[in-house]
Amino acid sequence: MIVRIMGEGQWKLADSRLVELNKLDDELLEEMDSGDEDGFRRTLNALLEAVRRLGAPLPDDALEPSELILPAPDASLDEVREMLSDDGLIPG
């Protein structure tokens, strides 16, 4: 799976890693629903760091279609809300 972090680039991630990312995505949704700005920021950064840690970065000149697009680390709570589907940022 190819994951894009807006403003940073793309990472290739094994599909098996989605379980870990989904846990963080669920936490992020809970924090957004409760309006916990500090928790939201902390969990968003943990989610993005997990992608960076678990994935292999693609070269900057690679033009692979992204199967998953995540917000930039400095995205606001409202910006992330606009990106959400019923499943959150990560399907499943």
Side-chain angles (χ1 to χ4, degrees):
M1 162 178 279
I2 305 296
V3 179
R4 173 177 297 283
I5 297 176
M6 293 175 69
E8 286 191 27
Q10 293 178 299
W11 282 260
K12 185 171 184 135
L13 218 68
D15 289 345
S16 62
R17 298 301 192 169
L18 286 179
V19 172
E20 182 174 342
L21 298 182
N22 267 320
K23 288 178 186 175
L24 291 167
D25 189 41
D26 290 345
E27 284 181 42
L28 190 67
L29 282 173
E30 288 176 20
E31 291 157 350
M32 291 177 69
D33 287 345
S34 70
D36 180 357
E37 181 77 34
D38 291 335
F40 159 79
R41 184 71 40 215
R42 185 175 46 254
T43 304
L44 176 61
N45 285 325
L47 176 63
L48 300 178
E49 183 55 36
V51 170
R52 294 180 197 111
R53 178 175 44 84
L54 300 171
L58 295 181
D60 290 338
D61 61 351
L63 296 174
E64 299 289 328
S66 300
E67 298 166 77
L68 181 60
I69 299 175
L70 298 176
D74 61 351
S76 71
L77 204 138
D78 288 333
E79 289 170 329
V80 174
R81 270 196 185 104
E82 291 177 16
M83 298 178 69
L84 292 177
S85 71
D86 290 341
D87 288 334
L89 292 171
I90 300 170

